[in-house]
Amino acid sequence: MGRFSFWGFKSSHELLQNSLGALERDVMNLAWEKPEITVRECCERLGSGVAYTTVMTTMDRLFKKGLLARRKAGRAFVYRASATRHEIEVAVATELVQSLLQRDANHAGEPLPILSFLVDAVSERDRALLEELERLVREKRRALLRQKS
């Protein structure tokens, strides 16, 4: 089979960025910069081009999506990121891999082809990365053996 590029494939960072609107991305970037932020502070940092009610609605939407947590402080809410940028990117990547493995198991009965494609892709890109993958597999095996004991 010939090689081709899958142009539609996105990294976990790109998937996260594309799943949020521009204002949602801006708000999340502000939330990742500070431990806590209010709607008013967010408005001030975003500039005069965005209405308070728009930012309030956006932060509420991000809360409902689980990306922001909030607590009541007087009559207003104080928001914080529910996870770091890295933790969210890892969660997106994990969900993508689990989805591929599940799809492969449903159609072929075994996840082996997807895993072998992963090893091929890693080894073509970087031999050191392949060695790191081997190290991670050994480490995971040891951890699973310790759990059984």
Side-chain angles (χ1 to χ4, degrees):
M1 174 166 60
R3 282 188 48 99
F4 67 94
S5 293
F6 183 37
W7 298 108
F9 185 78
K10 304 283 189 230
S11 70
S12 58
H13 173 77
E14 290 171 310
L15 285 170
L16 175 62
Q17 291 299 306
N18 291 339
S19 68
L20 299 177
L23 183 57
E24 288 177 321
R25 286 192 303 272
D26 291 344
V27 168
M28 286 306 301
N29 286 330
L30 292 174
W32 282 319
E33 288 175 10
K34 297 182 71 175
E36 291 188 324
I37 191 165
T38 64
V39 174
R40 185 158 315 286
E41 290 171 318
C42 208
C43 282
E44 289 169 4
R45 302 275 309 274
L46 290 170
S48 61
V50 185
Y52 180 91
T53 54
T54 302
V55 174
M56 183 174 62
T57 301
T58 300
M59 293 179 88
D60 182 61
R61 190 175 321 121
L62 289 166
F63 167 74
K64 289 176 180 168
K65 288 181 179 182
L67 295 172
L68 291 178
R70 69 184 181 194
R71 66 176 175 83
K72 195 81 161 163
R75 293 178 45 208
F77 285 112
V78 177
Y79 291 87
R80 65 176 169 75
S82 59
T84 67
R85 182 188 321 256
H86 177 73
E87 289 169 335
I88 290 174
E89 288 175 2
V90 166
V92 169
T94 299
E95 189 173 315
L96 174 64
V97 170
Q98 287 175 341
S99 169
L100 289 172
L101 291 173
Q102 182 62 41
R103 181 175 306 140
D104 199 48
N106 287 343
H107 292 98
E110 293 288 328
L112 193 56
I114 290 290
L115 295 177
S116 67
F117 296 148
L118 174 65
V119 170
D120 288 345
V122 167
S123 61
E124 285 179 17
R125 179 168 177 242
D126 186 347
R127 188 169 191 84
L129 193 57
L130 184 61
E131 290 172 11
E132 176 65 9
L133 182 59
E134 279 184 291
R135 185 191 68 75
L136 290 170
V137 168
R138 284 191 306 271
E139 191 176 287
K140 190 61 159 179
R141 276 194 189 121
R142 282 192 293 271
L144 290 172
L145 285 172
R146 281 192 299 269
Q147 285 178 354
K148 286 183 178 180
S149 304

